[in-house]
Amino acid sequence: MKKLLLSSIIVLIGITFIGRLSYLQIFSFSPNQVLEDTAIKAIYDYPERGYIYDRNGLLLVGNDPAYDVMVIPREVKPLDTLEFCQLIGVEKEAFIRKLNKARIYSPRLPSVLVPQLSKEDYARLQEKMRKYEGFYIQKRSLRYYNTNAAANVLGYIREVNERDLQKNPYYVQGELTGGTGVEQQYEEILRGRKGVQYIQKDRFNRDIGPYKGGILDTLPQQGKEITLTLDKILQEYGERLMNGKRGGIVAIEPSSGEILAMISGPTYDPALLVGRERSRNYSKLHYDTIAKPLFDRSISAEGSPGSPFKTLNALVALQEGVIQPSTTIKCYNGFYVGRTKRGCHCGGGTRNLNSGIYNSCNAYFAGTFRKIYEKFPTTDEGQDTWEKHIKSFGLGNFLGYDLPTGRPGRIPGKEYYDKWYGDNRWASSYIISNSIGQGEVAVTPVQLANMTAAIANRGFYFTPHILKKVEGENIENPHFTAPKYTTIDRKHFEPVVQGMADVYNKGTARWVQVPGIEIAGKTGTVENYTKIDGEKTQLTDHSVFVAFAPVDNPKIALAVYIENGYYGSRYAGHIASLLIEKYLKGEISRKDLEKRMLEKTLEHEYAKPYSGEEFKINEYVW
């Protein structure tokens, strides 16, 4: 009986072990568990990233083949280090440092030792690499740019860092990922999926064939191609116009929210951040703290909107019933706040809504702004109402566009002013600068463009976005395809739109008309201050312009913000008119203006804080 019991226990234990081993061998195939086995190595096969096209099917980004020198630290045998370093073009100290880093990461997993060899280096190395155990060459693809524009939108590829490795187990050290822009936002779509082959090794560390006959091996999946909403020709043209200028330009299709152009100046050629010189080039761009070419001014530069903001104050006043289009206000070449006079450049006289817009009368909009607050028993209620209307145009918060960076701008609420002045201790006269787009209001160029699109649509907008198609299929994302309505009734937009059209017909932009195109726009001149040697110093004004066209069937809405660009119709207005003509007509009729904008720079203005030269406004007029 005891023998039978003992035999049964032994048989039961044996069956248990056999069952468990069978389960682990047959059913439990976790790749992570496989990689923990020191007798198995993984060889990755990287697919090409997805191609990127513009809205018209023009190639923006493709791929070029590249080759990485890989190392598996535990397989490295004694070698002639100096000879090997000369062969791969690496200093001995750098080689030792990289090899030690690879050992720390994992002695069993492959790491990149020398990234992105050229075809010539690869051809020279491939036959000699067999001499050096533990090292091999792995093929991958690098980005090829079919444009020298849109670096701020497209982004760049970088090597994964420790945070990436901890956050996403998909990656291993030395792999590449999208660093900024579209490459980062749509990384999972563009990267595809790498293939892997597991190789069984014997006790002498020799390859003996595929692990489990290759049952765990996978083939790479090609990255998906995507189509952006960008217009390649318009983007490239806009960047040429920004030569020697700083600022941001954003153009949007009002009927869809699709971004046609997103320009930041100064910019850089995206090809600079590809290949073995990437690190050196990135450092040069990063440490240029004056021009800041890596700073995307189109979505991150927060500045005062200037006079284009007057259109929103007009719409709020119409909605609240405190003015009619016929309401008049007297301009005495400015307006008074207490005993202090604020200037105006409209020439003075009696202004209604239409002439107030096309002449950009500060006094008219200061008076209109006061009327909004006077409607309510308390300033807090007036501020709440004003803030609600203004924010309905997408200002003062992130718009929700599909790019990974940006700033929210600022539309101040009552809490903001209570902090400065105390609760119920301030009035509309304290914040009167908001009436003309100065003061505490701050916007980004993409917000200005979206605001303009909402006016062009007479009361609604679509969330601006950059992705149009994936693998040829239109995106169906309600976040981008559903309209967002403002708090302003449609009927109130027509008189404002007419005033903006008259800006071109007889107002502040009558000098920059485009033959054959009806445009509605608004000029803006924004005061510009900085600290020099600890003192607040006024610099040359910023030039701002918003517009949409055609007036009755808008195809494009845009905002142009040129730092130190004098007044609104000077640089920003001219550039806006050229971009509108380029997009709607395909060619430019005003060749003299185009030549001037392409050649004129503002580098002399940007040098003034360092040279000590005086700042002047209106040094010359076109």
Side-chain angles (χ1 to χ4, degrees):
M1 187 67 180
K2 289 183 178 179
K3 287 183 179 182
L4 181 61
L5 180 61
L6 183 60
S7 299
S8 299
I9 292 173
I10 292 171
V11 170
L12 182 61
I13 292 172
I15 291 172
T16 302
F17 272 108
I18 291 170
R20 179 59 179 166
L21 287 172
S22 298
Y23 174 79
L24 290 173
Q25 292 290 314
I26 298 172
F27 300 105
S28 183
F29 284 162
S30 167
N32 290 332
Q33 288 177 337
V34 172
L35 289 175
E36 291 171 4
D37 191 332
T38 58
I40 300 170
K41 74 173 181 180
I43 299 176
Y44 294 108
D45 186 359
Y46 293 95
E48 286 193 343
R49 287 180 76 87
Y51 282 45
I52 302 177
Y53 297 88
D54 90 328
R55 65 188 297 109
N56 299 310
L58 299 178
L59 179 66
L60 292 169
V61 188
N63 298 300
D64 269 341
Y67 307 88
D68 294 341
V69 177
M70 309 294 294
V71 61
I72 301 176
R74 73 171 186 175
E75 298 181 10
V76 174
K77 304 297 183 186
L79 72 157
D80 186 335
T81 306
L82 186 59
E83 178 188 58
F84 185 62
C85 288
Q86 290 175 344
L87 189 64
I88 63 176
V90 173
E91 296 291 333
K92 182 178 178 180
E93 293 76 13
F95 167 79
I96 294 172
R97 185 173 64 252
K98 291 182 177 183
L99 187 57
N100 288 335
K101 182 180 178 182
R103 283 198 182 99
I104 293 170
Y105 168 67
S106 172
R108 296 178 295 101
L109 296 178
S111 295
V112 176
L113 186 72
V114 181
Q116 304 166 14
L117 295 176
S118 66
K119 295 178 185 178
E120 295 75 19
D121 289 339
Y122 168 69
R124 178 170 51 85
L125 280 173
Q126 62 174 341
E127 292 185 1
K128 299 180 181 180
M129 288 298 290
R130 66 176 182 271
K131 293 171 51 181
Y132 305 100
E133 292 189 49
F135 300 93
Y136 66 96
I137 296 177
Q138 178 172 271
K139 181 180 178 181
R140 70 167 74 222
S141 61
L142 292 180
R143 281 317 215 183
Y144 155 73
Y145 292 94
N146 195 39
T147 179
N148 60 2
N152 61 312
V153 179
L154 299 173
Y156 54 77
I157 304 298
R158 60 168 174 81
E159 189 173 326
V160 293
N161 54 35
E162 292 300 324
R163 185 171 55 185
D164 298 319
L165 295 172
Q166 293 172 7
K167 184 178 179 182
N168 193 337
Y170 171 85
Y171 298 105
V172 298
Q173 185 168 309
E175 292 185 350
L176 303 177
T177 186
T180 58
V182 169
E183 295 279 18
Q184 178 185 358
Q185 187 73 11
Y186 293 107
E187 162 69 8
E188 292 190 11
I189 294 174
L190 290 167
R191 78 183 179 201
R193 191 153 194 89
K194 63 191 174 192
V196 61
Q197 182 183 11
Y198 296 103
I199 302 299
Q200 180 78 53
K201 305 175 79 66
D202 63 15
R203 62 193 183 92
F204 299 107
N205 206 34
R206 296 174 301 196
D207 294 353
I208 59 175
Y211 175 66
K212 289 191 174 300
I215 194 173
L216 292 182
D217 296 351
T218 58
L219 294 173
Q221 295 179 11
Q222 174 78 31
K224 295 178 180 179
E225 71 176 43
I226 65 173
T227 300
L228 302 185
T229 62
L230 281 188
D231 184 299
K232 179 175 182 283
I233 294 174
L234 187 68
Q235 178 80 22
E236 291 174 345
Y237 184 62
E239 291 196 13
R240 288 173 57 208
L241 292 172
M242 285 294 287
N243 173 49
K245 308 171 188 73
R246 298 177 190 171
I249 302 173
V250 177
I252 294 173
E253 182 180 67
S255 62
S256 65
E258 294 180 356
I259 297 171
L260 303 174
M262 182 172 278
I263 297 158
S264 177
T267 186
Y268 59 93
D269 187 337
L272 289 174
L273 299 185
V274 176
R276 298 186 68 177
E277 294 298 311
R278 179 196 177 280
S279 180
R280 183 180 302 174
N281 291 335
Y282 181 86
S283 294
K284 288 180 181 178
L285 295 170
H286 177 74
Y287 289 110
D288 184 351
T289 57
I290 297 176
K292 299 179 180 179
L294 292 177
F295 178 60
D296 188 351
R297 288 170 165 87
S298 66
I299 57 177
S300 296
E302 296 171 302
S304 298
S307 291
F309 196 71
K310 293 174 180 175
T311 58
L312 294 197
N313 280 319
L315 289 167
V316 173
L318 289 169
Q319 180 68 28
E320 291 301 317
V322 298
I323 65 166
Q324 299 295 322
S326 58
T327 300
T328 60
I329 293 176
K330 188 78 171 178
C331 175
Y332 299 94
N333 290 309
F335 62 95
Y336 284 89
V337 180
R339 295 183 178 180
T340 303
K341 185 177 182 180
R342 304 282 184 89
C344 182
H345 51 69
C346 77
T350 301
R351 303 292 180 206
N352 59 19
L353 177 62
N354 183 259
S355 61
I357 292 175
Y358 75 71
N359 281 313
S360 199
C361 177
N362 290 344
Y364 178 84
F365 286 98
T368 297
F369 188 75
R370 283 178 170 140
K371 289 177 183 292
I372 296 170
Y373 287 81
E374 289 168 356
K375 174 183 176 179
F376 298 94
T378 66
T379 304
D380 280 359
E381 291 178 74
Q383 186 66 19
D384 284 343
T385 300
W386 179 85
E387 181 187 4
K388 175 193 69 174
H389 288 310
I390 298 298
K391 284 189 172 180
S392 75
F393 286 82
L395 304 184
N397 210 332
F398 293 101
L399 281 169
Y401 44 74
D402 54 339
L403 286 169
T405 57
R407 297 292 301 161
R410 181 177 59 247
I411 299 299
K414 62 187 178 187
E415 296 81 8
Y416 184 92
Y417 293 114
D418 286 347
K419 182 178 178 181
W420 279 99
Y421 302 114
D423 190 18
N424 291 319
R425 296 175 65 86
W426 55 278
S428 62
S429 59
Y430 285 54
I431 59 173
I432 199 69
S433 292
N434 288 340
S435 67
I436 57 174
Q438 297 274 183
E440 293 73 43
V441 173
V443 300
T444 61
V446 69
Q447 290 175 328
L448 272 178
N450 185 69
M451 174 197 88
T452 307
I455 297 173
N457 289 333
R458 279 65 168 179
F460 65 92
Y461 65 89
F462 297 90
T463 300
H465 55 282
I466 202 73
L467 183 65
K468 188 175 179 70
K469 298 178 182 179
V470 177
E471 291 286 289
E473 296 292 328
N474 289 322
I475 61 168
E476 296 296 335
N477 186 340
H479 178 65
F480 299 132
T481 57
K484 281 76 176 173
Y485 289 89
T486 70
T487 55
I488 309 299
D489 295 339
R490 182 180 178 87
K491 64 182 180 181
H492 296 309
F493 284 88
E494 286 307 325
V496 172
V497 169
Q498 185 57 55
M500 294 176 69
D502 285 338
V503 167
Y504 269 91
N505 295 330
K506 52 187 175 181
T508 53
R510 60 189 179 276
W511 316 111
V512 290
Q513 295 181 11
V514 180
I517 302 177
E518 291 293 324
I519 305 175
K522 186 71 192 77
T523 55
T525 304
V526 176
E527 291 181 338
N528 177 22
Y529 292 90
T530 192
K531 281 191 175 182
I532 298 178
D533 296 330
E535 294 186 8
K536 184 178 180 181
T537 305
Q538 184 171 9
L539 311 182
T540 303
D541 295 337
H542 299 318
S543 175
V544 186
F545 201 89
V546 302
F548 62 87
V551 173
D552 294 326
N553 184 25
K555 297 289 193 301
I556 182 173
L558 80 170
V560 181
Y561 206 109
I562 307 298
E563 297 176 16
N564 301 50
Y566 303 90
Y567 47 86
S569 63
R570 184 155 172 174
Y571 276 95
H574 285 93
I575 289 173
S577 71
L578 289 169
L579 288 170
I580 289 171
E581 186 174 19
K582 184 73 170 180
Y583 184 69
L584 296 181
K585 289 186 171 183
E587 57 183 5
I588 300 298
S589 60
R590 299 159 300 157
K591 296 295 184 182
D592 57 334
L593 174 61
E594 179 184 50
K595 184 175 184 294
R596 193 158 68 238
M597 284 294 101
L598 289 171
E599 294 177 353
K600 283 285 184 181
T601 80
L602 288 166
E603 296 294 352
H604 62 288
E605 287 293 338
Y606 305 134
K608 286 181 179 179
Y610 311 99
S611 67
E613 185 180 348
E614 288 186 12
F615 292 91
K616 297 179 182 178
I617 301 177
N618 303 339
E619 289 180 349
Y620 49 87
V621 178
W622 295 329

